[in-house]
Amino acid sequence: MNAEVGNFAKRQQQKKQQIIELAIAIGLALVFAIVMPALLSAFRLKLLGRFVALSIVALGLDLIWGYTGLLSLGHGIFFALGGYALAMHLKLQLPEGQIPEFFTLYGVTELPWFWTPFYSFPLTIVAIFVIPAIVAGLLGYLVFRNRIKGVYFSILTQAALLVFFNFFNGQQKLINGTNGLKTDTETIFGVLVGSEGAQLAFYEISLLGLLLVYFLCRWLTTGRFGRLLVAIRDDETRVRFTGYDPTGYKVLVFAISGAIAGVAGALYTVQTGIITPSAMEVAFSIEMVIWVAVGGRATLIGAIIGTLLVRLGQTFLSEQFPEVWLFFQGALFLLVVTVLPNGIFGWARDWGIPKLRSLLGLQEQLITYPALEQDPEIQQEREELER
Amino acid sequence: MSEQTTEKILEIDNLTVSFDGFKALNDLNFSMNVGELRVVIGPNGAGKTTFLDVITGKVKPTEGKVYFQGQNLRPYNEHQIARMGIGRKFQTPRVYLNLTVRENLDLASNRQKGVFRTLLGKPTKSDRRTVNGLLETIGLTAKAELQAALLSHGEKQRLEIGMLVAQSPDLLLVDEPVAGLTDEETENVGNLLLALAQSHSIVVIEHDMEFVRQIARTVSVLHQGSLLCEGNMDEVQNDPRVIEVYLGEQEEEAA
């Protein structure tokens, strides 16, 4: 019965912590939403908005890599699909009967059939996350059902990325091939996408998106479902013999991650002004992985920190020392892999904060060795003796 | 479970498993009753682990059939067989190291193992009571909130047995539960298994003859993928064929 009481107290404490976390997250988001637009120039704000959009895809990647152990090197696919979905909608803001201008270059006179649904704004919004989710789900189902794991899974996702990249590159008549779709000069609800007002709105929407996606990921990774993801990562065979079918779980979480990447891609596209197949370049998908690794896997908050840090570093270093940035990025990745395997956030949590606490005298000093004060069995016996 | 003791919980007919021509199991026949505690012994390479692999669906039989409670297991894969009521403990303890002891047990005791039920469901009060009861049974109440990675080897073994029981299976398959344990821990695990045997059917695969003597009622000896002989401990120990292939060395050591 003692265990029951302890368990109850623990759950109360968890609830309290969750409320504090919620308050901190919303507070931070509000600071960014109100203070940053006042401080930064329109150009800088647009950059920040893009980084925020990118940290959304990093969250999705952390969900599958950090928690479930699925290292996807093909998240560019889902990112680009979301971006294209929104760009197609913007391209269709035309008077009745006209088709986007680039089609005439290739002698296309009729809108390809798959463009039609993108006339509708609600359908586009749904498509931004449903299409990547379906593609990810299908790919995932085929791979996971055949029990393809680890590095083979990574290679397959990269191969899929190349297939999509080459397909989008080659289809001038369908989606303007290499040139991609420009969105800056299009309008949304009658407002020019590239205008300052619209960009501010996209920045705020990106922040809101980040907040929502963060809480979605938090919800998914706590509780039984999240623990099962960790269990699949650590020992999938055991999970099977416990009576769970890992395939369904992996497909679902991969599809969700794809959907998140789609949302990020759409937000990134409107703040960049263009989506091209280069969003599906191998290097970009690998960069996403680096963000998560730098921030710290399986921490969620680390994915956000990592993205912002790497991208901010990229901006400043490439402004100061153009062309050298790639070396910095490589060095950063090497540093993280060799010195900070748990990333910046993981290091702070496992080493930095306890160290700080002990330096400040907040940590209880242990007076016995071995640490009897921390041995739960001895603590329990002591409690029973006192009673 | 206890109503018809003559009912067979597990029946294996002419089972052969071959890997690229090598017969890991060769025309094996085996059966056990509901409620029985059976120990399977045999020298290295006798096919003991393959035997468990076939029952749990990890390996499909090349020939022959496995029946669990009268049902042919061939069409089912691992998680379906686990849900039918067969729990398996691996040779080395396999628990989820990054989860706490309580979380490990909670995952195993979850009744609704579908994706969406797990996502949207919450642990019920009876789930929590089951977990607390199990914690007491395996003696890890004090360490319930510790990460499983921090447990000792013996505690991990007990935790994994606890996870098996949490699945509430009818048949427990236990692969070398005392490998690498101290004498005291061995005795603890032995008592735990004996306690569980009152409400479950159990197959134990074991090398440690002292331990086999502690828990065994009926012993089956595997040799080169086939059943060599079966009987109680004394019969098996005195069987000349068994002495030749397996116990001979042990007896000499003891003498």
Side-chain angles (χ1 to χ4, degrees), chain A residues 4 7 10-11 147 224-225 227 233-235 237-245 249 376 380, chain B residues 56 78-79 82-83 88 90 94 96 98 103 106-107 110 113-114 118 127-128 132 142 145 160 167:
Chain A
E4 186 79 69
N7 197 16
K10 195 191 157 209
R11 270 182 287 136
R147 304 197 180 180
R224 259 184 191 163
F225 185 80
R227 294 198 286 271
R233 177 191 73 192
D234 290 351
D235 196 341
T237 310
R238 190 90 201 73
V239 172
R240 283 184 200 282
F241 285 113
T242 312
Y244 294 95
D245 183 7
Y249 289 87
Q380 195 191 26
Chain B
T56 51
E78 296 100 314
H79 72 272
R83 285 186 203 178
R88 176 175 183 182
F90 290 87
R94 289 175 86 162
Y96 310 120
N98 286 304
E103 287 167 352
D106 175 65
L107 275 189
N110 185 7
K113 291 187 171 161
T118 306
D127 281 356
R128 280 203 287 273
N132 283 332
E145 313 303 335
E160 198 182 6
Q167 281 170 249

Side-chain angles (χ1 to χ4, degrees), chain B:
Chain B
M1 263 171 254
S2 54
E3 60 276 8
Q4 293 168 301
T5 40
T6 49
E7 200 190 316
K8 297 272 185 258
I9 188 149
L10 187 67
E11 217 171 351
I12 291 176
D13 292 340
N14 305 96
L15 181 68
T16 300
V17 174
S18 60
F19 301 114
D20 295 328
F22 168 71
K23 287 184 172 168
L25 290 179
N26 189 3
D27 203 20
L28 176 75
N29 287 292
F30 180 93
S31 81
M32 68 183 270
N33 294 327
V34 172
E36 200 178 331
L37 170 64
R38 178 74 65 93
V39 179
V40 176
I41 61 172
N44 283 325
K48 301 185 299 278
T49 300
T50 311
F51 173 69
L52 294 192
D53 283 349
V54 175
I55 299 172
T56 51
K58 196 176 175 201
V59 169
K60 291 285 169 206
T62 316
E63 273 168 57
K65 292 198 170 80
V66 180
Y67 295 97
F68 172 66
Q69 294 174 333
Q71 208 169 356
N72 187 356
L73 290 180
R74 190 179 182 95
Y76 301 104
N77 52 29
E78 296 100 314
H79 72 272
Q80 290 164 323
I81 291 175
R83 285 186 203 178
M84 287 163 77
I86 298 185
R88 176 175 183 182
K89 193 204 155 305
F90 290 87
Q91 223 160 5
T92 46
R94 289 175 86 162
V95 297
Y96 310 120
L97 297 177
N98 286 304
L99 302 179
T100 66
V101 172
R102 185 188 297 282
E103 287 167 352
N104 267 284
L105 289 171
D106 175 65
L107 275 189
S109 69
N110 185 7
R111 289 279 142 268
Q112 311 286 346
K113 291 187 171 161
V115 177
F116 292 101
R117 299 244 175 140
T118 306
L119 180 59
L120 303 172
K122 282 231 171 343
T124 61
K125 216 167 199 159
S126 81
D127 281 356
R128 280 203 287 273
R129 214 171 305 127
T130 318
V131 170
N132 283 332
L134 276 170
L135 281 169
E136 220 148 286
T137 314
I138 59 174
L140 289 176
T141 305
K143 299 197 169 179
E145 313 303 335
L146 277 193
Q147 271 199 349
L150 302 174
L151 298 182
S152 73
H153 182 72
E155 286 166 339
K156 280 182 201 154
Q157 297 276 33
R158 293 210 303 264
L159 173 57
E160 198 182 6
I161 293 175
M163 286 165 71
L164 280 200
V165 180
Q167 281 170 249
S168 64
D170 300 319
L171 176 64
L172 288 171
L173 306 174
V174 187
D175 199 351
E176 297 197 18
V178 298
L181 294 190
T182 63
D183 289 349
E184 192 196 341
E185 284 171 328
T186 301
E187 208 183 315
N188 281 339
V189 170
N191 291 335
L192 182 57
L193 284 177
L194 286 174
L196 291 175
Q198 295 179 353
S199 49
H200 299 83
S201 316
I202 306 182
V203 176
V204 181
I205 286 187
E206 196 40 74
H207 260 314
D208 183 329
M209 294 314 290
E210 275 306 313
F211 180 66
V212 173
R213 258 181 220 112
Q214 184 195 340
I215 63 167
R217 292 160 208 178
T218 318
V219 179
S220 302
V221 185
L222 283 190
H223 180 55
Q224 293 179 343
S226 310
L227 193 66
L228 190 68
C229 77
E230 214 165 64
N232 65 34
M233 197 64 197
D234 288 332
E235 287 167 11
V236 166
Q237 262 181 313
N238 296 324
D239 191 304
R241 290 169 304 172
V242 177
I243 294 170
E244 193 188 324
V245 303
Y246 188 60
L247 288 175
E249 307 161 41
Q250 303 260 341
E251 289 298 288
E252 277 164 33
E253 264 172 48

Side-chain angles (χ1 to χ4, degrees), chain A residues 5 21 70 100 105 125 154 298 305 313 374:
Chain A
V5 173
E21 190 191 329
L70 309 167
L105 296 175
I125 295 300
S154 303
I305 295 173
Q374 289 187 342

Side-chain angles (χ1 to χ4, degrees), chain A residues 8-217:
Chain A
F8 182 72
K10 195 191 157 209
R11 270 182 287 136
Q12 290 295 88
Q13 204 186 353
Q14 273 177 346
K15 213 165 244 173
K16 217 169 166 187
Q17 274 173 352
Q18 278 168 1
I19 292 171
I20 293 173
E21 190 191 329
L22 188 80
I24 291 177
I26 291 176
L28 265 179
L30 277 177
V31 167
F32 268 84
I34 296 164
V35 177
M36 286 303 173
L39 283 181
L40 298 176
S41 69
F43 174 72
R44 292 280 177 214
L45 191 70
K46 199 165 151 181
L47 270 184
L48 185 62
R50 267 191 251 169
F51 301 163
V52 170
L54 291 177
S55 52
I56 295 177
V57 69
L59 275 179
L61 205 53
D62 195 19
L63 187 64
I64 56 165
W65 184 33
Y67 286 91
T68 326
L70 309 167
L71 174 56
S72 164
L73 297 178
H75 254 46
I77 300 172
F78 317 121
F79 186 84
L81 284 174
Y84 268 101
L86 186 54
M88 282 160 76
H89 173 69
L90 296 175
K91 278 283 173 200
L92 288 175
Q93 305 299 306
L94 295 166
E96 197 76 23
Q98 282 189 31
I99 60 171
E101 203 187 317
F102 71 86
F103 279 125
T104 55
L105 296 175
Y106 313 113
V108 179
T109 50
E110 210 164 297
L111 199 67
W113 60 269
F114 65 90
W115 278 69
T116 357
F118 293 98
Y119 273 116
S120 146
F121 182 70
L123 273 185
T124 305
I125 295 300
V126 172
I128 283 172
F129 56 89
V130 167
I131 291 178
I134 290 173
V135 173
L138 267 177
L139 181 69
Y141 178 69
L142 292 175
V143 172
F144 302 137
R145 194 197 49 177
N146 293 313
R147 304 197 180 180
I148 295 168
K149 287 195 277 195
V151 78
Y152 300 100
F153 170 74
S154 303
I155 292 170
L156 270 173
T157 53
Q158 183 139 95
L161 180 74
L162 286 170
V163 168
F164 272 82
F165 176 66
N166 286 324
F167 177 79
F168 275 69
N169 245 341
Q171 298 300 320
Q172 274 91 352
K173 292 185 176 177
L174 296 179
I175 27 101
N176 205 17
T178 326
N179 302 321
L181 304 177
K182 276 192 80 157
T183 58
D184 253 356
T185 49
E186 309 298 334
T187 56
I188 183 164
F189 298 124
V191 184
L192 198 64
V193 171
S195 71
E196 222 164 278
Q199 290 298 321
L200 178 64
F202 288 136
Y203 169 76
E204 303 288 2
I205 294 170
S206 299
L207 270 182
L208 183 66
L210 179 62
L211 199 66
L212 292 179
V213 169
Y214 176 76
F215 283 117
L216 172 72
C217 291

